[in-house]
């Protein structure tokens, strides 16, 4: 079962488009755990246990673990997710971008060490920086396309004078990802929730690819506009292009009290309901 199929199964089982981002910041941990990096696994595992039946994916951000020398806790967390939520795919948010043997090692890190189902990548160095990840059957490669940060305009919105129609860089990438780069159906795209018009344009150019959409919640992205711009449907109204809408801080830090996991579940349920209401045809 490839990554897109995994997403479709999780979406059906949990009636959800919501991805919970696991970005542990010990300074924001509740109660006696506050500031204790040794509790990163404990905190994230509680969040996973509280939300595992209402999500379409989990997305741990590797920097939040590596900065605290907590890679071993990330390994434990990935194994925990596989054990308690085997139907929920895990996206390792690493944004790797290199070529040759270095890319091969990054792919091994994501898919063999951490057992991720997909990994986020920067495509700035071209297809040969993506190809090593595609050698891992059924794993997903999710490419940065139109990101939610304001600085994304510096490159992603520039026009390519050498190409017919002078598409913007993000448009050209979306078209490549939908066509010649997507040799085995493994590629997805990252498109920020803060730019719904660009989400719609990416969906037009890449009608079948999974879209990972961060920026809902603390970053201010509009959940309803995001869903309506990102979903693709066939003539019968069936969804043909899946979306994965990520929320991190709004869920993780819904409460500073001992009931933080219960509060995270309440926010996750409310976010799922908002997303589901928006996807009605």
């Amino acid at each position: 079962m490839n990554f897109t199929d995994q997403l479709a199964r999780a979406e059906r089982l949990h009636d959800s488009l919501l991805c919970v981002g696991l970005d542990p910041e010990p300074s924001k941990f509740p109660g006696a755990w506050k500031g204790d990096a040794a509790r990163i696994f404990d905190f994230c595992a509680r969040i996973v246990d509280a939300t595992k039946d209402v999500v379409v994916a989990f997305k741990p951000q590797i920097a939040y673990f590596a900065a605290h020398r907590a890679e071993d806790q990330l390994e434990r967390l990935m194994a925990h997710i596989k054990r308690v939520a085997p139907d929920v795919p895990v996206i390792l948010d690493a944004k790797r971008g290199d070529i040759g043997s270095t890319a091969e090692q990054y792919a091994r890190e994501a898919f063999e060490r951490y057992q991720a189902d997909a990994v986020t990548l920067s495509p700035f160095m071209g297809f040969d920086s993506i190809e090593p990840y595609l050698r891992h059957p059924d794993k997903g490669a999710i490419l940065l396309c139109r990101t939610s940060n304001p600085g994304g305009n510096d490159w992603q919105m520039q026009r390519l004078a050498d190409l017919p129609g002078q598409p913007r860089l993000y448009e050209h990438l979306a078209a490549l990802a939908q066509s010649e780069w997507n040799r085995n159906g493994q590629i997805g795209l990252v498109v920020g929730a803060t730019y719904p018009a660009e989400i719609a344009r990416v969906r037009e150019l890449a009608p079948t690819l999974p879209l990972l959409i961060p920026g809902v919640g603390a970053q201010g992205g509009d959940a309803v506009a995001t869903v309506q711009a990102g979903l693709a449907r066939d003539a019968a109204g069936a969804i043909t292009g899946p979306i994965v809408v990520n929320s991190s801080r709004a869920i993780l830090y819904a409460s500073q009290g001992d009931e933080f996991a219960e509060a995270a579940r309440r926010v996750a349920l409310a976010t799922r309901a908002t997303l589901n209401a928006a996807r009605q045809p």
Side-chain angles (χ1 to χ4, degrees), residues 96-100 102-103 106 121-131 173 181:
R96 302 302 193 200
D98 213 325
I99 57 173
T102 304
Y106 279 139
L121 303 174
S122 170
F124 184 78
M125 295 182 73
F127 182 73
D128 55 348
S129 69
I130 307 303
E131 188 274 334
L173 174 60
W181 282 16

Side-chain angles (χ1 to χ4, degrees), residues 259-279:
E259 81 294 353
F260 72 93
E262 292 81 1
R265 178 175 178 81
R266 288 194 295 272
V267 175
L269 284 166
T271 306
R272 182 183 70 165
T274 299
L275 297 172
N276 284 349
R279 70 173 167 173

Side-chain angles (χ1 to χ4, degrees), residues 3 12 38 49 55 75-76 126 148 171 188 193 204 207 216 241 265-266 274 278:
F3 175 65
R12 290 193 303 271
D49 292 345
V55 299
E75 288 186 72
R76 289 174 58 202
S148 58
E171 294 175 317
E204 179 183 356
V216 168
R265 178 175 178 81
R266 288 194 295 272
T274 299

